[in-house]
């Protein structure tokens, strides 16, 4: 099975044919629905490669997900093999930890654009394509200023205030982060993200190291597993339940997030669950003392 065939099988799609706006939207939606945003290997103390061929193999052979470097890296490889004109961009996600946008020099996010696909909605044919924002975009959006509604959530795209010539995506107020700024002046490479990837996957200060998280976007909302707490944002009210039994926890990973974790041994699964449960109990203790 070659790369394209295996990847499309993972997405549950037939070959989409020649590049088109409709096909790009279908590919993007399938990617965020079936390949989850996840940090499982970080919680097993296992380093990961952000080489895009390694990321594609991760999705296809191991039936896993990843975070932005993996998700958008692998997706860019698929799109290129299908004939799309894809460009990498150095970018930065502003979380609640930042009172101001940190700017693309931080490089905590890899963003993508696809060009050459004009439509009535996007006359110049350039689209923001981002399968690596967790609970954000379900479909690509035109790279032009405006507000875009996707299911229950709205996003605003505008010129960046911290990056000359760059763009800013403001997340829906109910989202897990504030916004994302991306650089347009130079095409990014893997080297632009290597240092931040190491920090995000190993530093005790990293939110990925501190907190287990999995996210999956679909047309109706977002599924999130944070530690032992599963939430469905679709959009209000938010469904929430605590999974304090490993059987239930692993079942949600498999059934909701398409992560059967068949690549993990029984010992790996026990270690993963024990670590997540311990951090969940620490969180409960802190919450009860405040």
């Amino acid at each position: 099975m070659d790369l394209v065939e295996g990847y499309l099988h993972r997405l549950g799609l037939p070959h989409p044919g020649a590049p088109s706006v409709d096909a790009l939207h279908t590919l993007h939606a399938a990617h965020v629905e079936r390949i989850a945003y996840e940090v499982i290997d970080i919680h097993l103390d296992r380093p990961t490669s952000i080489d895009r061929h390694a990321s594609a193999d991760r999705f296809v052979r191991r039936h896993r997900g990843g975070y932005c470097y993996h998700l958008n890296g692998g997706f860019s490889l698929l799109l290129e093999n299908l004939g799309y004109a894809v460009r990498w961009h150095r970018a930065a996600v502003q979380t609640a930890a930042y009172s101001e946008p940190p700017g693309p020099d931080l490089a905590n996010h890899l963003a993508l654009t696809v060009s050459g696909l004009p439509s009535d909605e996007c006359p110049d044919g350039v689209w923001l394509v981002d399968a690596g924002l967790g609970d954000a975009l379900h479909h690509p959006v035109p790279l032009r200023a405006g507000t875009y509604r996707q299911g229950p959530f709205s996003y605003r795209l505008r010129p960046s205030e911290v990056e000359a010539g760059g763009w800013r995506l403001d997340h829906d107020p109910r989202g897990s982060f504030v916004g994302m700024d991306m650089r347009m002046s130079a095409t990014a490479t893997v080297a632009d993200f290597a240092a931040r990837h190491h920090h995000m996957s190993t530093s005790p200060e990293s939110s990925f190291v501190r907190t287990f998280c999995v996210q999956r976007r679909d047309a109706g909302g977002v599924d999130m597993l944070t530690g032992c707490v599963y939430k469905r944002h679709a959009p209000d009210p938010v469904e929430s339940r605590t999974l304090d039994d490993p059987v239930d926890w692993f079942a949600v990973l498999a059934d909701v997030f398409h992560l059967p974790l068949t690549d993990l041994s029984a010992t790996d699964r026990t270690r993963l669950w024990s670590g997540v449960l311990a951090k969940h109990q620490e969180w409960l203790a802190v919450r009860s003392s405040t």
Side-chain angles (χ1 to χ4, degrees):
M1 184 179 293
D2 67 13
L3 168 71
V4 171
E5 181 184 0
Y7 211 132
L8 291 173
H9 179 75
R10 178 76 164 86
L11 298 181
L13 296 176
H15 196 288
S20 70
V21 173
D22 287 345
L24 180 64
H25 280 243
T26 297
L27 288 161
H28 193 289
H31 208 288
V32 297
E33 290 177 12
R34 298 181 68 91
I35 303 183
Y37 185 101
E38 53 100 338
V39 296
I40 291 168
D41 284 327
I42 291 175
H43 289 262
L44 288 169
D45 299 317
R46 290 179 176 170
T48 58
S49 170
I50 57 172
D51 171 83
R52 60 185 190 158
H53 289 87
S55 295
D57 181 71
R58 174 187 180 87
F59 308 151
V60 174
R61 186 176 59 83
R62 296 178 57 197
H63 208 91
R64 291 286 293 280
Y67 55 98
C68 63
Y69 306 139
H70 309 106
L71 296 168
N72 281 335
F75 194 28
S76 73
L77 183 63
L78 173 65
L79 292 173
E80 284 187 8
N81 275 270
L82 290 172
Y84 291 86
V86 188
R87 187 181 177 200
W88 282 28
H89 300 270
R90 190 169 183 143
V93 167
Q94 180 189 0
T95 66
Y98 298 96
S99 59
E100 300 291 336
D105 281 341
L106 182 64
N108 69 355
H109 185 68
L110 160 62
L112 304 176
T113 55
V114 167
S115 60
L117 294 176
S119 70
D120 292 342
E121 183 185 19
C122 184
D124 65 0
V126 182
W127 298 83
L128 172 62
V129 174
D130 208 314
L133 285 172
D135 65 343
L137 297 181
H138 186 235
H139 289 278
V141 295
L143 195 66
R144 61 189 311 194
T147 298
Y148 301 94
R149 183 83 176 176
Q150 296 187 357
F153 305 113
S154 292
Y155 312 100
R156 181 187 177 201
L157 194 62
R158 57 185 174 87
S160 173
E161 297 172 346
V162 296
E163 175 69 19
W167 288 92
R168 165 79 172 192
L169 178 74
D170 293 316
H171 201 348
D172 188 279
R174 293 162 294 183
S176 65
F177 62 92
V178 180
M180 181 271 289
D181 291 272
M182 60 184 288
R183 176 167 295 162
M184 298 297 295
S185 59
T187 299
T189 67
V190 169
D192 289 300
F193 307 103
R196 198 65 193 176
H197 169 59
H198 178 74
H199 171 87
M200 291 165 65
S201 57
T202 62
S203 172
E205 299 177 356
S206 167
S207 62
F208 288 172
V209 173
R210 296 196 309 267
T211 306
F212 180 91
C213 67
V214 185
Q215 300 176 346
R216 189 194 71 90
R217 181 73 160 92
D218 60 32
V222 175
D223 294 298
M224 305 182 73
L225 181 61
T226 307
C228 295
V229 179
Y230 165 72
K231 292 183 179 181
R232 170 71 182 174
H233 296 254
D236 298 311
V238 175
E239 173 196 347
S240 178
R241 56 193 170 103
T242 298
L243 306 170
D244 52 12
D245 182 281
V247 174
D248 295 338
W249 190 79
F250 281 108
V252 165
L253 282 173
D255 299 339
V256 176
F257 297 98
H258 306 291
L259 292 169
L261 303 186
T262 51
D263 60 323
L264 299 186
S265 67
T267 300
D268 292 334
R269 291 165 72 94
T270 298
R271 186 158 67 92
L272 177 63
W273 166 251
S274 298
V276 171
L277 180 62
K279 289 185 177 181
H280 176 71
Q281 291 170 338
E282 290 172 8
W283 172 74
L284 288 176
V286 170
R287 190 176 67 163
S288 66
S289 66
T290 56

